[in-house]
Amino acid sequence: MDKRQAIGSWLSGPRAAAEDAGVDFGYRGQQLGLPEEGPGSISRPGRRLGALAVDWGLCVLIAYGLITDGYGQATSNWALLLFFVLGVLTVGTVGFTPGKRLFGLRVVSLDTGTVNPLRALLRTALLCVAVPALIWDRDGRGLHDRLARTVEVRI
C-alpha cells in the first residue's frame, strides 16, 4: 500500500476505508425496511434542522410575546418548556410538529407506525437535553429516536 493511500483512508474515515475494502452499507433506512427515496424514506438532516429551527423560533416567539414580554434568560427557559409541551402534544397525537409539517416530515414508530404519547414524551425529553440528538447511527437517526424506537420520515 502506498503511503498516500494509507493517509487518504485515514483522513476519509472508517466508512470510506470499509467501502474501499468492499463492504456494502446499503442506503440509509435499508435495515429498517424503509424505501430509499420518496415518501416513507428517512428524512435528511437539513430538513430536520430546518423543522427544529421553525419549532424553536415559534416557541421563542410565544415566550417572548405572551409570557416574558422581553428577551432574557427567562424567555429561553419558557421557550424550552413550550418546546417540550409542543413536541409531546403534537408528535404524540398527529405525528408531527408545525415545523416538521412545514418541511414535509413525520415521526413514526417502528412497531406500529403511530407514536403513542409515552414514546413522544421520551423522545421529546431526550431532544430537549440535546446531546442524544447529536449522536447519530448509520441510518441518520439520533439517539433520542433509537431509544424511543421511532424514525423521522418524509411525508
Side-chain angles (χ1 to χ4, degrees):
M1 177 184 275
D2 188 13
K3 288 182 182 179
R4 289 177 291 181
Q5 287 177 324
I7 291 173
S9 68
W10 176 78
L11 290 175
S12 58
R15 181 179 178 122
E19 286 174 346
D20 289 343
V23 176
D24 180 27
F25 287 107
Y27 61 87
R28 295 172 354 130
Q30 185 175 9
Q31 291 179 335
L32 303 172
L34 300 174
E36 185 174 4
E37 296 287 329
S41 64
I42 288 188
S43 61
R44 301 284 184 219
R47 284 184 177 211
R48 288 189 299 213
L49 289 174
L52 181 68
V54 168
D55 291 335
W56 181 253
L58 181 67
C59 292
V60 168
L61 187 65
I62 292 170
Y64 176 80
L66 299 178
I67 300 173
T68 62
D69 196 31
Y71 189 76
Q73 182 62 38
T75 305
S76 297
N77 293 338
W78 280 105
L80 184 61
L81 179 65
L82 288 170
F83 182 80
F84 176 76
V85 170
L86 175 79
V88 170
L89 291 179
T90 58
V91 171
T93 56
V94 293
F96 50 80
T97 62
K100 288 182 190 350
R101 182 68 182 132
L102 183 67
F103 280 85
L105 304 176
R106 177 182 210 96
V107 179
V108 296
S109 171
L110 290 175
D111 303 333
T112 61
T114 58
V115 180
N116 65 21
L118 290 176
R119 285 188 191 203
L121 179 76
L122 174 64
R123 183 185 187 277
T124 306
L126 291 171
L127 185 61
C128 287
V129 176
V131 173
L134 298 174
I135 301 170
W136 293 1
D137 66 358
R138 173 179 103 65
D139 291 319
R141 291 190 314 156
L143 186 58
H144 64 295
D145 276 327
R146 286 187 59 99
L147 292 175
R149 299 199 36 80
T150 58
V151 62
E152 200 165 339
V153 297
R154 295 172 52 193
I155 296 177

